[in-house]
Amino acid sequence: MTIPIVMNSGEEGSAETPTVQNSKLESRRRRGIKGEKESPFVPVNASTTAMPSYKLNYFDARGLAEVSRSMFILSDTPFEDNRIPKDQWPALKEKTPFGTLPVLEIDGKPLPQSLAIARYLAKQFGFYGNTPFESAWVDALADQMKDFLAEMRPYFAVAMGMVEGDKEKMKNEVALPAIKKHFSLLEKVAKENGANGHFVGSSLTYVDLLVSDFIYSVDSMIPGFINEYPAVAAVRTKVVNTPKLKEWIEKRPKTAT
């Protein structure tokens, strides 16, 4: 299923753009927050138009692509939300750069890996902190959440019925220890940042979005876990109540993950 997303534009994937540096300033203003068949993943020559065209390829799920979708929405940037049915994935897998999704196409040129995509868009749209040190901390926290996801994956597989296992045992032996380890660190960072609704600095960054979406997924399986981490919960509350994102959350396709 392909969902074209057009924000304040009369033409899909078309608008005026400045340089990368000016695009960050503009994005802050717009946010109001401070032989073979041709593969869709094969690089092509860049478009001669000023504004890049964006096509985000992923499954019909929030998963590893929702952070990037959120940045498109918050920055009013048109993009094509290409949701690939799982029965079509085997035919496409070998045509992706690393055999994985998501893949972001920028003027037809592919960029793989969810965090690389998120960092690229964060730099383009102004969700990357206000100094190089803040940007480094944003990346550090994103990497920490990648570690969290790796530790939680065995629990998710059982909880979602992908593999057989004792769900309650996996929750107690895998999920709860991982939550305590990683969310205690996040709570400390949020408090040291002034408990201002952000993990780094005083403006929204992609790691705020990343953690907020993880909370959404984990809370659906372990309700109320976030109550033990009030500073982290405050970040999520601020994120999901950002007007443009709140509207997107209400109308986006409803998926389990």
Side-chain angles (χ1 to χ4, degrees):
M1 174 172 61
T2 299
I3 304 175
I5 306 293
V6 182
M7 307 297 295
N8 298 336
S9 172
E11 181 180 354
E12 293 180 13
S14 176
E16 186 76 16
T17 187
T19 62
V20 170
Q21 181 180 8
N22 287 339
S23 123
K24 291 182 180 179
L25 297 174
E26 174 66 10
S27 69
R28 291 193 180 103
R29 182 192 69 76
R30 287 184 296 166
R31 277 184 281 151
I33 59 170
K34 311 228 163 167
E36 284 188 330
K37 291 184 178 179
E38 184 175 350
S39 164
F41 304 101
V42 174
V44 297
N45 291 330
S47 170
T48 57
T49 60
M51 168 63 107
S53 65
Y54 294 107
K55 181 178 181 180
L56 184 59
N57 302 282
Y58 194 58
F59 303 111
D60 187 19
R62 298 188 324 279
L64 300 176
E66 196 63 18
V67 170
S68 294
R69 291 187 187 115
S70 296
M71 286 189 280
F72 281 124
I73 297 299
L74 287 166
S75 64
D76 283 333
T77 302
F79 75 108
E80 184 178 347
D81 188 8
N82 184 34
R83 298 180 180 237
I84 298 171
K86 290 193 175 181
D87 62 352
Q88 295 181 17
W89 170 234
L92 293 173
K93 184 174 182 177
E94 292 185 359
K95 298 176 183 179
T96 64
F98 296 160
T100 60
L101 292 176
V103 170
L104 175 65
E105 293 177 66
I106 307 157
D107 287 335
K109 296 183 291 185
L111 176 63
Q113 290 289 354
S114 60
L115 288 183
I117 294 168
R119 284 191 291 266
Y120 175 85
L121 295 177
K123 291 174 185 178
Q124 294 293 312
F125 303 148
F127 298 104
Y128 204 45
N130 295 314
T131 68
F133 189 73
E134 285 188 1
S135 298
W137 257 101
V138 170
D139 284 339
L141 290 170
D143 287 341
Q144 191 70 25
M145 294 311 294
K146 185 177 181 180
D147 292 346
F148 171 68
L149 179 60
E151 291 180 29
M152 289 288 288
R153 191 165 280 121
Y155 167 73
F156 286 148
V158 172
M160 297 171 64
M162 298 169 65
V163 299
E164 293 184 4
D166 187 326
K167 181 179 176 180
E168 193 65 20
K169 181 179 179 182
M170 292 296 286
K171 183 180 84 170
N172 292 325
E173 295 183 1
V174 175
L176 294 181
I179 289 169
K180 183 175 181 179
K181 172 184 173 181
H182 292 277
F183 276 78
S184 294
L185 292 173
L186 290 173
E187 182 74 3
K188 181 174 181 289
V189 170
K191 286 180 177 178
E192 290 178 349
N193 195 48
N196 62 356
H198 302 292
F199 289 109
V200 180
S202 57
S203 61
L204 184 66
T205 66
Y206 83 86
V207 81
D208 295 336
L209 299 168
L210 181 66
V211 174
S212 295
D213 196 63
F214 274 175
I215 292 171
Y216 188 98
S217 297
V218 176
D219 193 67
S220 68
M221 302 176 192
I222 308 175
F225 86 94
I226 196 61
N227 295 337
E228 296 184 29
Y229 309 98
V232 178
V235 174
R236 179 174 186 264
T237 298
K238 189 165 187 174
V239 166
V240 299
N241 283 291
T242 303
K244 291 175 184 176
L245 193 58
K246 185 176 182 179
E247 182 182 357
W248 166 247
I249 290 171
E250 290 173 352
K251 72 179 184 181
R252 70 187 178 189
K254 305 303 178 187
T255 59
T257 59

PDB file of all heavy atoms in Angstrom, residues 169-182:
ATOM      1  N   LYS A 169       7.189 -15.677  31.636  1.00  0.00           N
ATOM      2  CA  LYS A 169       8.579 -15.912  32.014  1.00  0.00           C
ATOM      3  C   LYS A 169       9.510 -14.972  31.253  1.00  0.00           C
ATOM      4  O   LYS A 169      10.456 -14.399  31.840  1.00  0.00           O
ATOM      5  CB  LYS A 169       8.952 -17.368  31.716  1.00  0.00           C
ATOM      6  CG  LYS A 169      10.384 -17.718  32.090  1.00  0.00           C
ATOM      7  CD  LYS A 169      10.689 -19.193  31.780  1.00  0.00           C
ATOM      8  CE  LYS A 169      12.139 -19.542  32.138  1.00  0.00           C
ATOM      9  NZ  LYS A 169      12.460 -20.954  31.810  1.00  0.00           N
ATOM     10  N   MET A 170       9.259 -14.783  29.974  1.00  0.00           N
ATOM     11  CA  MET A 170      10.089 -13.887  29.169  1.00  0.00           C
ATOM     12  C   MET A 170       9.940 -12.439  29.639  1.00  0.00           C
ATOM     13  O   MET A 170      10.916 -11.668  29.630  1.00  0.00           O
ATOM     14  CB  MET A 170       9.726 -14.004  27.693  1.00  0.00           C
ATOM     15  CG  MET A 170      10.094 -15.341  27.067  1.00  0.00           C
ATOM     16  SD  MET A 170      11.888 -15.623  27.040  1.00  0.00           S
ATOM     17  CE  MET A 170      12.385 -14.508  25.746  1.00  0.00           C
ATOM     18  N   LYS A 171       8.747 -12.100  30.069  1.00  0.00           N
ATOM     19  CA  LYS A 171       8.557 -10.751  30.583  1.00  0.00           C
ATOM     20  C   LYS A 171       9.408 -10.527  31.829  1.00  0.00           C
ATOM     21  O   LYS A 171      10.098  -9.503  31.958  1.00  0.00           O
ATOM     22  CB  LYS A 171       7.078 -10.499  30.913  1.00  0.00           C
ATOM     23  CG  LYS A 171       6.806  -9.069  31.395  1.00  0.00           C
ATOM     24  CD  LYS A 171       5.352  -8.825  31.711  1.00  0.00           C
ATOM     25  CE  LYS A 171       5.032  -9.280  33.125  1.00  0.00           C
ATOM     26  NZ  LYS A 171       3.669  -8.847  33.557  1.00  0.00           N
ATOM     27  N   ASN A 172       9.370 -11.491  32.759  1.00  0.00           N
ATOM     28  CA  ASN A 172      10.091 -11.343  34.019  1.00  0.00           C
ATOM     29  C   ASN A 172      11.602 -11.482  33.877  1.00  0.00           C
ATOM     30  O   ASN A 172      12.364 -10.816  34.586  1.00  0.00           O
ATOM     31  CB  ASN A 172       9.575 -12.364  35.039  1.00  0.00           C
ATOM     32  CG  ASN A 172       8.147 -12.078  35.470  1.00  0.00           C
ATOM     33  OD1 ASN A 172       7.743 -10.920  35.579  1.00  0.00           O
ATOM     34  ND2 ASN A 172       7.370 -13.126  35.702  1.00  0.00           N
ATOM     35  N   GLU A 173      12.035 -12.341  32.955  1.00  0.00           N
ATOM     36  CA  GLU A 173      13.462 -12.620  32.841  1.00  0.00           C
ATOM     37  C   GLU A 173      14.173 -11.781  31.780  1.00  0.00           C
ATOM     38  O   GLU A 173      15.397 -11.614  31.853  1.00  0.00           O
ATOM     39  CB  GLU A 173      13.679 -14.106  32.539  1.00  0.00           C
ATOM     40  CG  GLU A 173      13.224 -15.029  33.664  1.00  0.00           C
ATOM     41  CD  GLU A 173      13.504 -16.494  33.382  1.00  0.00           C
ATOM     42  OE1 GLU A 173      14.074 -16.791  32.295  1.00  0.00           O
ATOM     43  OE2 GLU A 173      13.163 -17.338  34.228  1.00  0.00           O
ATOM     44  N   VAL A 174      13.423 -11.266  30.821  1.00  0.00           N
ATOM     45  CA  VAL A 174      14.037 -10.514  29.730  1.00  0.00           C
ATOM     46  C   VAL A 174      13.560  -9.059  29.703  1.00  0.00           C
ATOM     47  O   VAL A 174      14.373  -8.124  29.785  1.00  0.00           O
ATOM     48  CB  VAL A 174      13.753 -11.189  28.367  1.00  0.00           C
ATOM     49  CG1 VAL A 174      14.295 -10.325  27.216  1.00  0.00           C
ATOM     50  CG2 VAL A 174      14.370 -12.572  28.323  1.00  0.00           C
ATOM     51  N   ALA A 175      12.243  -8.875  29.592  1.00  0.00           N
ATOM     52  CA  ALA A 175      11.714  -7.531  29.363  1.00  0.00           C
ATOM     53  C   ALA A 175      11.904  -6.600  30.557  1.00  0.00           C
ATOM     54  O   ALA A 175      12.429  -5.492  30.411  1.00  0.00           O
ATOM     55  CB  ALA A 175      10.233  -7.618  28.991  1.00  0.00           C
ATOM     56  N   LEU A 176      11.470  -7.033  31.735  1.00  0.00           N
ATOM     57  CA  LEU A 176      11.540  -6.135  32.885  1.00  0.00           C
ATOM     58  C   LEU A 176      12.967  -5.743  33.259  1.00  0.00           C
ATOM     59  O   LEU A 176      13.229  -4.562  33.547  1.00  0.00           O
ATOM     60  CB  LEU A 176      10.815  -6.760  34.083  1.00  0.00           C
ATOM     61  CG  LEU A 176       9.292  -6.935  33.904  1.00  0.00           C
ATOM     62  CD1 LEU A 176       8.671  -7.536  35.156  1.00  0.00           C
ATOM     63  CD2 LEU A 176       8.631  -5.598  33.550  1.00  0.00           C
ATOM     64  N   PRO A 177      13.939  -6.678  33.248  1.00  0.00           N
ATOM     65  CA  PRO A 177      15.329  -6.253  33.492  1.00  0.00           C
ATOM     66  C   PRO A 177      15.850  -5.260  32.442  1.00  0.00           C
ATOM     67  O   PRO A 177      16.567  -4.310  32.779  1.00  0.00           O
ATOM     68  CB  PRO A 177      16.110  -7.562  33.455  1.00  0.00           C
ATOM     69  CG  PRO A 177      15.122  -8.605  33.827  1.00  0.00           C
ATOM     70  CD  PRO A 177      13.836  -8.157  33.200  1.00  0.00           C
ATOM     71  N   ALA A 178      15.491  -5.478  31.171  1.00  0.00           N
ATOM     72  CA  ALA A 178      15.942  -4.558  30.113  1.00  0.00           C
ATOM     73  C   ALA A 178      15.316  -3.186  30.295  1.00  0.00           C
ATOM     74  O   ALA A 178      15.988  -2.149  30.124  1.00  0.00           O
ATOM     75  CB  ALA A 178      15.593  -5.130  28.744  1.00  0.00           C
ATOM     76  N   ILE A 179      14.035  -3.158  30.653  1.00  0.00           N
ATOM     77  CA  ILE A 179      13.359  -1.881  30.889  1.00  0.00           C
ATOM     78  C   ILE A 179      14.025  -1.130  32.038  1.00  0.00           C
ATOM     79  O   ILE A 179      14.325   0.068  31.946  1.00  0.00           O
ATOM     80  CB  ILE A 179      11.868  -2.106  31.173  1.00  0.00           C
ATOM     81  CG1 ILE A 179      11.143  -2.545  29.899  1.00  0.00           C
ATOM     82  CG2 ILE A 179      11.219  -0.836  31.737  1.00  0.00           C
ATOM     83  CD1 ILE A 179       9.726  -3.036  30.130  1.00  0.00           C
ATOM     84  N   LYS A 180      14.254  -1.833  33.133  1.00  0.00           N
ATOM     85  CA  LYS A 180      14.862  -1.182  34.295  1.00  0.00           C
ATOM     86  C   LYS A 180      16.245  -0.638  33.961  1.00  0.00           C
ATOM     87  O   LYS A 180      16.597   0.496  34.333  1.00  0.00           O
ATOM     88  CB  LYS A 180      14.959  -2.171  35.453  1.00  0.00           C
ATOM     89  CG  LYS A 180      15.520  -1.545  36.723  1.00  0.00           C
ATOM     90  CD  LYS A 180      15.491  -2.533  37.880  1.00  0.00           C
ATOM     91  CE  LYS A 180      16.034  -1.875  39.156  1.00  0.00           C
ATOM     92  NZ  LYS A 180      16.001  -2.811  40.309  1.00  0.00           N
ATOM     93  N   LYS A 181      17.033  -1.418  33.264  1.00  0.00           N
ATOM     94  CA  LYS A 181      18.398  -1.001  32.900  1.00  0.00           C
ATOM     95  C   LYS A 181      18.393   0.256  32.032  1.00  0.00           C
ATOM     96  O   LYS A 181      19.082   1.248  32.345  1.00  0.00           O
ATOM     97  CB  LYS A 181      19.086  -2.151  32.166  1.00  0.00           C
ATOM     98  CG  LYS A 181      20.436  -1.797  31.557  1.00  0.00           C
ATOM     99  CD  LYS A 181      20.984  -2.983  30.764  1.00  0.00           C
ATOM    100  CE  LYS A 181      22.251  -2.631  29.995  1.00  0.00           C
ATOM    101  NZ  LYS A 181      22.753  -3.795  29.205  1.00  0.00           N
ATOM    102  N   HIS A 182      17.617   0.237  30.973  1.00  0.00           N
ATOM    103  CA  HIS A 182      17.698   1.316  29.986  1.00  0.00           C
ATOM    104  C   HIS A 182      16.841   2.525  30.357  1.00  0.00           C
ATOM    105  O   HIS A 182      17.266   3.674  30.131  1.00  0.00           O
ATOM    106  CB  HIS A 182      17.324   0.795  28.604  1.00  0.00           C
ATOM    107  CG  HIS A 182      18.319  -0.165  28.053  1.00  0.00           C
ATOM    108  ND1 HIS A 182      19.464   0.227  27.411  1.00  0.00           N
ATOM    109  CD2 HIS A 182      18.359  -1.529  28.072  1.00  0.00           C
ATOM    110  CE1 HIS A 182      20.172  -0.832  27.044  1.00  0.00           C
ATOM    111  NE2 HIS A 182      19.512  -1.909  27.426  1.00  0.00           N
TER     112      HIS A 182
END
